């Protein structure tokens, strides 16, 4: 299991908790989220204005000082997210509800529409802001930044991340 990146007592309040689907094999090996070469999370985070420069996965611990964090829906590392079964995603949704209740981010941003739909039993969800909330925490769905997701370009990913940043202040 890859540890969550969460704020400490000296960090600002958690604005956005980004939630990957599950760790890839490179992330599990390195201990860093979104670590596979070709993953576009870190470039999109910077291009959208969430970070002042492009961070490397090894710099993930800088995120809490910006009011940002990272977790995953499912803890099991796989080569591809489609190797997870629905039961793992549903269990991950339950864990996310508990984590959100504990750390109270302003927003939970799930990067992967399919994982969100299964984890939150919302088969009709679309990318963007969701109507439902988890208590006071808003829900947002972003495209999967994996390099395996050919439907998204770096520019469209940055635009989706920017829309979240602009909505969250």
């Amino acid at each position: 299991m890859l540890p969550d990146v969460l704020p400490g007592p000296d960090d600002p309040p958690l604005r956005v908790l980004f939630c990957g689907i599950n760790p890839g094999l490179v992330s599990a090996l390195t201990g860093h989220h979104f670590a596979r070469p070709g993953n576009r999370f870190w470039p999109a985070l910077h291009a959208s204005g969430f970070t002042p420069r492009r961070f490397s996965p090894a710099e993930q611990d800088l995120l809490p000082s910006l009011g940002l964090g990272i977790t995953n829906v499912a803890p099991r590392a796989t080569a591809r997210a489609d190797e997870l079964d629905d039961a793992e995603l549903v269990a991950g949704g339950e864990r996310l509800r508990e984590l959100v209740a504990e750390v109270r981010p302003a927003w939970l941003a799930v990067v992967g529409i399919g994982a969100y739909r299964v984890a939150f039993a919302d088969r009709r969800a679309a990318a963007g802001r969701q109507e439902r909330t988890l208590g006071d925490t808003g829900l947002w769905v972003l495209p999967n930044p994996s390099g395996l997701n050919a439907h998204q370009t770096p520019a469209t990913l940055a635009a989706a991340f920017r829309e979240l940043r602009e909505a969250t202040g």
Side-chain angles (χ1 to χ4, degrees):
M1 182 170 150
L2 195 59
D4 295 332
V5 175
L6 298 171
D10 297 329
D11 290 314
L14 189 55
R15 287 187 304 136
V16 180
L17 179 58
F18 290 95
C19 181
I21 299 169
N22 71 308
L25 299 178
V26 175
S27 289
L29 181 67
T30 64
H32 301 121
H33 293 267
F34 303 102
R36 182 175 189 218
N39 190 295
R40 297 161 304 170
F41 175 81
W42 297 102
L45 205 61
H46 172 60
S48 65
F50 273 111
T51 59
R53 62 176 173 79
R54 183 173 165 182
F55 291 173
S56 73
E59 295 177 298
Q60 67 186 19
D61 292 334
L62 297 175
L63 292 178
S65 68
L66 301 173
L68 307 173
I70 305 177
T71 189
N72 285 294
V73 176
R76 183 169 66 95
T78 61
R80 298 175 53 101
D82 62 7
E83 295 175 37
L84 298 171
D85 62 37
D86 284 0
E88 289 175 283
L89 296 173
V90 169
E94 289 302 316
R95 187 193 76 84
L96 284 172
R97 287 173 181 84
E98 293 170 10
L99 180 63
V100 164
E102 179 184 335
V103 301
R104 306 173 61 95
W107 290 91
L108 175 67
V110 179
V111 294
I113 187 70
Y116 175 86
R117 287 175 176 163
V118 175
F120 290 93
D122 187 356
R123 298 276 182 197
R124 302 178 71 143
R129 184 181 195 153
Q130 306 302 299
E131 288 189 29
R132 81 188 306 176
T133 63
L134 296 178
D136 292 333
T137 298
L139 293 171
W140 200 284
V141 177
L142 292 165
N144 183 346
S146 169
L148 301 174
N149 182 2
H151 300 331
Q152 297 293 323
T153 66
T156 60
L157 281 169
F161 276 62
R162 187 176 306 107
E163 184 180 357
L164 170 62
R165 185 189 52 77
E166 290 171 352
T168 61

